[in-house]
Amino acid sequence: MNVLRSVAILTLVILPILSACTTGIADFQLYEQAYQAQAVEADRVLDRLARAERVVARRSDPSLSGAFEFDPDKAAYYVDAGDPPLTGAIRSGLNAVTTYNAMLAGLANGESAAALTSRAGTLYSNLLATAEALSVVAGVSTTFVPGAQALASRLLPLAEQIQKLRNRAAFRRKLLQAYPDMRALLVRLRDGTREMYTVIQRSYVKRGVIRNRGIPAADMPKLEADRKLLAGWVILMDQTLVSMDAATRVVLAGASASDATVLMDASVDLRVLAERVRDATRPQ
């Protein structure tokens, strides 16, 4: 048995097991740790995407490279700080999913309604940031934008409603109502990696290069490394979806012993996979 899996399972044996009044506190501790492990890989991907997005945007929009024009809506393209709009939208979308997971954990761990309300405010802010960043994406042709915008817009009113709730039962109902769209948002981000890769690929293109779709031979190993990095994140998102489904069943849909076991197994698999992907994509 994999050493990390053995340690994780042993930890669950030592931690308090499900009590009659709570739903899988130990399981959610492991789930939160596993989710954060994959989030580290997501940050690596998005940092790379941010650099590529600026390169592509500056090439396609002359006003971004000249010093005689200024558009405040394009400020993130002028300076290499923070995220340009597409990367910022994706990161905000992932932050929304992360906050949603934290709210699930809060319900499982017995957090007060006041604490859950505070998390709901963060969820709303993440979704609003996603929608606003998508509205100013420039210089990058992508079909990711309209689908993600539709999901963020649909979730915003629900997140606003959740901020006004004052009891845990109501939170549970609203989070269950929000889950299909939250899951769809993560799926949309997963499917959008094809377009993310296109942006990264375009950032390597040099004028006058005929072979390799305009990419210099010296940059091809870098592009291969970028593809491996992106592929690792996709694999992690696929396992994250499995874990999120299990977590939702445990917290929102009424937990059974088998649901708790599925959550534990899925969380361990996600944590182990995150370690393997990190090792496989680490620069040599």
Side-chain angles (χ1 to χ4, degrees):
M1 180 180 288
N2 182 282
V3 174
L4 184 56
R5 173 182 281 275
S6 300
V7 171
I9 292 176
L10 180 61
T11 301
L12 285 179
V13 172
I14 295 173
L15 288 169
I17 307 302
L18 304 182
S19 68
C21 59
T22 61
T23 313
I25 293 176
D27 297 317
F28 258 86
Q29 289 174 337
L30 182 57
Y31 173 61
E32 286 186 284
Q33 293 168 6
Y35 186 88
Q36 290 304 320
Q38 69 81 30
V40 171
E41 295 304 308
D43 282 337
R44 291 177 64 198
V45 170
L46 294 178
D47 289 346
R48 177 65 191 94
L49 178 63
R51 296 192 299 273
E53 183 183 350
R54 285 193 178 93
V55 170
V56 172
R58 288 166 180 170
R59 286 177 183 167
S60 60
D61 186 345
S63 70
L64 295 176
S65 56
F68 298 104
E69 297 181 45
F70 182 81
D71 183 344
D73 290 335
K74 298 177 182 178
Y77 293 121
Y78 297 137
V79 60
D80 295 334
D83 285 329
L86 177 61
T87 306
I90 296 169
R91 203 184 301 269
S92 295
L94 286 171
N95 287 341
V97 176
T98 298
T99 302
Y100 181 86
N101 274 285
M103 295 176 75
L104 292 181
L107 279 173
N109 298 337
E111 277 190 3
S112 68
L116 291 169
T117 298
S118 177
R119 293 190 187 277
T122 302
L123 176 63
Y124 181 85
S125 297
N126 293 151
L127 291 168
L128 185 60
T130 302
E132 289 179 343
L134 288 169
S135 70
V136 294
V137 171
V140 179
S141 177
T142 172
T143 58
F144 164 80
V145 171
Q149 272 188 318
L151 285 167
S153 297
R154 194 156 63 234
L155 282 162
L156 272 170
L158 190 56
E160 189 172 24
Q161 294 171 25
I162 294 174
Q163 291 183 86
K164 300 175 183 178
L165 301 178
R166 294 296 179 267
N167 70 81
R168 288 166 50 81
F171 275 109
R172 191 181 303 274
R173 289 192 298 271
K174 285 296 183 182
L175 288 181
L176 183 59
Q177 182 181 344
Y179 185 65
D181 280 341
M182 291 304 307
R183 189 186 195 283
L185 180 59
L186 187 57
V187 170
R188 188 70 194 89
L189 294 171
R190 186 257 189 214
D191 293 344
T193 53
R194 181 182 290 105
E195 297 161 70
M196 296 178 208
Y197 183 69
T198 297
V199 173
I200 292 173
Q201 186 181 66
R202 286 175 60 194
S203 72
Y204 285 111
V205 173
K206 297 290 191 298
R207 184 176 298 176
V209 176
I210 299 175
R211 295 183 178 180
N212 301 325
R213 300 183 182 180
I215 300 173
D219 286 335
M220 288 304 296
K222 299 176 186 178
L223 180 60
E224 288 287 349
D226 288 333
R227 184 170 67 170
K228 184 182 291 186
L229 180 65
L230 200 58
W233 185 42
V234 170
I235 292 169
L236 285 174
M237 281 195 285
D238 288 343
Q239 182 59 38
T240 297
L241 287 164
V242 174
S243 301
M244 280 182 61
D245 287 341
T248 304
R249 286 195 299 271
V250 166
V251 178
L252 303 180
S256 66
S258 62
D259 289 331
T261 299
V262 170
L263 174 58
M264 183 188 75
D265 288 344
S267 298
V268 171
D269 288 343
L270 178 58
R271 180 64 182 270
V272 171
L273 189 59
E275 297 289 341
R276 290 176 176 170
V277 166
R278 183 199 64 192
D279 292 342
T281 59
R282 182 181 294 166
Q284 301 299 316

